[in-house]
Amino acid sequence: MSADVRADIGSPGALMAAEIAEQPAALQRLLRDGIAPIAEVRRAIELFSPEFVILAARGTSDHAALYGRYLVEIRRQLPAELAAPSTLTLYGARPDLRRALFVAVSQSGASPDLTASLQVARECGALTVAVTNDAGSELATLAHHHVDVLAGVERSVAATKTYTAELLALYLLLSDDAAGGATGAAAVPDAAAATLEHRTRVAEAAARFRYAQRLVTTGRGYSYATAREAALKLMETSYLAALAYSGADLLHGPLAVVDADVPVIAVTTPGIGATAMEPVLAQLADAGADVLRVGDAAGLPVELADVAEHLAPLVEILPLQQLAWQLAVDRGVDPDRPRSLQKVTHTW
């Protein structure tokens, strides 16, 4: 069985496999139907002219927000940070946010701490934007503006298509491109479809890691978000103890846990981030680590024709989603129903 949706609907992992395969179409839909509404929100942001940006999220959406932070700081040249919602919800902080853009990212729009955080940010003067897959959610209705990622219903507990749709929505919202990034992102759906065709390579990688108990993921720049999301997918579907680090942080201590028995997944799609990973890869080789490179012909291929580095995370996560799916199925785990997890997590 492979993640190209040939599994019967009742088979373990059939929902996740189907949703992985839907992503090229979901991304194309957002490019087709989401451009105009997102452009309206962009105009409101430009009129507000924020001096800094705060992004709030949990779980998979937190990794999308991390990507958004890189976009804002690199492409917009504005300071950005990831919110710690508990400062607002548990500790009652009320900062002056009159020059802030506050973006809350949540596939469900139902997490209480995010809705409360956005409400506080709005009361403190921020311009608030909710990025969700549910236009009727509480988060969407509380925000000044809402961006619908248009991913369609996602039934598997493990988020896949909502993650890449969030990435694209954040790019269209926060990009410095005058047209809202539509032209630059046009090649992404085809690149995604081509990347998903490398199922044999994914199956080989899954066989390589089938009996691993611990694993490290790493990347730099825009790809750091990919490394973190990959670790989460492997943990929640295959129950691996997966640790994610930026390539720089890996060298500041965590490298000590890596040896021949702790494989490493390194995201090295072409670009500045991959160049910065070369010294890290050299040290991993010295440590005798089993390194699987994402974006390398000898590892997990990623098709990026006409896709710029700042859009690579929309594509490079796909073989890692497939790997998480395949590894879970090979281990006899149903990735559609991870133990102890639910589709919507209520935190405060």
Side-chain angles (χ1 to χ4, degrees):
M1 190 164 58
S2 60
D4 60 346
V5 208
R6 293 192 179 96
D8 293 334
I9 195 63
S11 302
L15 296 177
M16 184 179 177
E19 287 163 359
I20 290 172
E22 286 175 27
Q23 289 173 103
L27 294 168
Q28 189 62 63
R29 180 169 57 249
L30 183 54
L31 285 173
R32 183 187 67 233
D33 300 336
I35 294 295
I38 293 174
E40 292 183 11
V41 182
R42 282 175 61 93
R43 284 191 287 271
I45 292 172
E46 289 163 5
L47 185 63
F48 182 74
S49 189
E51 295 179 359
F52 60 101
V53 179
I54 301 171
L55 298 111
R58 293 290 193 195
T60 283
S61 296
D62 195 41
H63 306 146
L66 176 60
Y67 167 73
R69 178 182 181 179
Y70 276 83
L71 277 178
V72 171
E73 295 196 340
I74 298 170
R75 310 285 294 181
R76 285 280 185 174
Q77 300 285 298
L78 285 176
E81 65 178 29
L82 299 181
S86 64
T87 63
L88 305 177
T89 60
L90 298 181
Y91 291 93
R94 296 296 182 267
D96 183 351
L97 299 179
R98 285 175 291 180
R99 301 312 312 153
L101 170 64
F102 188 96
V103 181
V105 188
S106 169
Q107 61 91 12
S108 69
S111 183
D113 53 354
L114 292 183
T115 55
S117 296
L118 185 137
Q119 180 64 50
V120 170
R122 181 167 179 160
E123 292 169 357
C124 291
L127 178 69
T128 57
V129 177
V131 178
T132 82
N133 195 40
D134 185 354
S137 65
E138 184 178 6
L139 190 67
T141 56
L142 279 174
H144 288 105
H145 303 281
H146 174 245
V147 170
D148 191 338
V149 303
L150 301 175
V153 176
E154 187 176 61
R155 295 194 290 161
S156 176
V157 170
T160 53
K161 64 178 182 175
T162 51
Y163 175 68
T164 50
E166 285 174 348
L167 295 181
L168 180 55
L170 287 169
Y171 172 72
L172 295 173
L173 181 70
L174 301 173
S175 161
D176 60 335
D177 295 349
T183 302
V188 168
D190 286 345
T195 298
L196 287 171
E197 289 300 314
H198 294 290
R199 291 181 291 274
T200 300
R201 303 301 293 276
V202 171
E204 292 170 353
R208 179 171 161 184
F209 294 155
R210 182 170 182 177
Y211 299 105
Q213 297 302 312
R214 296 180 295 159
L215 184 145
V216 169
T217 65
T218 184
R220 291 206 68 178
Y222 293 104
S223 294
Y224 178 37
T226 305
R228 291 189 56 165
E229 174 61 10
L232 177 60
K233 284 293 158 288
L234 289 164
M235 285 189 285
E236 67 185 358
T237 60
S238 302
Y239 311 150
L240 263 170
L243 301 173
Y245 297 99
S246 78
D249 284 334
L250 184 61
L251 300 185
H252 282 267
L255 184 65
V257 308
V258 175
D259 57 25
D261 296 322
V262 180
V264 177
I265 296 176
V267 187
T268 58
T269 48
I272 294 171
T275 300
M277 282 292 295
E278 291 303 325
V280 181
L281 295 170
Q283 292 209 37
L284 288 170
D286 290 344
D290 178 6
V291 180
L292 175 68
R293 292 182 60 168
V294 179
D296 184 88
L300 290 180
V302 178
E303 303 293 341
L304 290 174
D306 300 317
V307 176
E309 179 183 2
H310 57 271
L311 283 163
L314 281 73
V315 183
E316 67 193 14
I317 188 60
L318 301 180
L320 293 164
Q321 293 172 344
Q322 290 178 309
L323 176 62
W325 181 91
Q326 187 71 64
L327 196 55
V329 171
D330 289 352
R331 290 181 171 211
V333 175
D334 184 355
D336 287 339
R337 298 171 180 82
R339 65 191 181 203
S340 306
L341 296 178
Q342 300 178 352
K343 186 61 180 172
V344 179
T345 302
H346 296 275
T347 52
W348 186 256

